[in-house]
Structures are given as C-alpha cells and as structure tokens.
C-alpha cells in the first residue's frame, strides 16, 4: 500500500494535507487564536481552516461535517462542529467564498480581520499561571 494513496480509509485524508504556509498575518492569527469571544472549539476549527490550503483545495464545510466518528477519532460530534462554524461566521472569521453558491456544501474563506477587535485577556500585575512571567 502506498503512503500517498488518498483512498485509504485507515488514515489518509480526504483532502490534501496543507503544503503551503498560511498566507495570513501571523500577529493577526495569534490574536484570533486568543480571541475570548471564540470558544476553544471554534479556535480549533479556525486554525484548521487557516493552515495553508491552496485556494480551492480547502475542505468544504459539508466535507468536514460528514466525517464519520471513526475518521474523527471519536472527537466532538457534528452538532458541535456546526456550532463552531456558526460562531466563526457570526463574528466574521469565516465568509462564503464568492465563487461558490451558498448552501450546505459551501467553501468558506478565512478572514482574520475580526481579530483586530479581538477580546484578549489582559496581562495581570505580577505573575500567575495566566501570564508569561515565569
């Protein structure tokens, strides 16, 4: 069996593994990953979708939602994923790709512009587990 066989249901992804570095501003991405308006789940989904897929090769939302429990390795369910997508869309981190029709299978494009207004945890005076004063 070839390690590049993408039809292998035991481990090969349905879509290409990201092969390009993210094109997003690293500072804006870091702010997005610390935006307290987002749940941890939504941040994980945002990180997955912002990891350097070539245009048009990103998985669609319906492809991600349709992953079986075995493919997700018993991770959170479909409803949790849908809620994360809704959260990201509501804040503007995910916007519909203008080249696809809106709907269940739409491809969403990452937009990190909302990170400029991110709600971040402010550094506390002194040192604690939540600061980097180590």
């Amino acid at each position: 069996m070839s390690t590049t066989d993408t039809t292998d249901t035991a481990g090969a992804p349905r879509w290409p593994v990201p092969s390009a570095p993210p094109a997003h501003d690293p500072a804006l991405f870091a702010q997005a990953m610390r935006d307290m308006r987002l749940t941890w789940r939504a941040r994980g989904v945002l990180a997955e979708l912002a990891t350097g897929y070539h245009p048009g090769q990103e998985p669609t939302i319906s492809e991600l939602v349709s992953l079986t429990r075995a493919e997700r390795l018993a991770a959170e369910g479909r409803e949790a994923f849908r809620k994360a997508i809704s959260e990201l869309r509501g804040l503007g981190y995910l916007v519909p790709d203008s080249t696809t029709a809106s709907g269940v299978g739409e491809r969403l494009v990452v937009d990190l512009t909302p990170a400029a207004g991110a709600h971040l945890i402010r550094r506390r005076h002194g040192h604690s587990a939540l600061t980097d004063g180590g």
Side-chain angles (χ1 to χ4, degrees):
M1 174 175 25
S2 168
T3 58
T4 59
D5 182 5
T6 58
T7 62
D8 175 19
T9 57
R14 290 184 182 176
W15 50 87
V17 173
S19 60
H24 307 291
D25 176 342
L28 215 49
F29 181 75
Q31 279 188 230
M33 291 296 105
R34 291 172 180 84
D35 190 344
M36 292 295 119
R37 297 174 297 178
L38 296 172
T39 61
W40 292 106
R41 175 187 304 131
R43 289 183 222 172
V45 171
L46 183 59
E48 166 64 30
L49 295 174
T51 55
Y53 290 101
H54 290 292
Q57 289 186 340
E58 312 91 341
T60 64
I61 298 309
S62 62
E63 286 172 334
L64 290 172
V65 168
S66 71
L67 291 173
T68 66
R69 182 169 289 282
E71 290 169 318
R72 291 184 280 116
L73 300 176
E76 294 174 315
R78 292 179 177 133
E79 190 55 35
F81 181 78
R82 285 185 182 110
K83 285 180 182 178
I85 294 297
S86 177
E87 186 179 334
L88 292 165
R89 288 187 74 173
L91 286 172
Y93 279 106
L94 293 179
V95 295
D97 182 346
S98 61
T99 64
T100 62
S102 62
V104 175
E106 74 185 324
R107 195 170 306 280
L108 296 174
V109 177
V110 173
D111 179 1
L112 295 180
T113 305
H119 292 235
L120 306 174
I121 294 177
R122 297 292 173 216
R123 187 172 201 173
R124 296 182 178 148
H125 298 288
H127 305 296
S128 75
L130 296 176
T131 63
D132 61 0

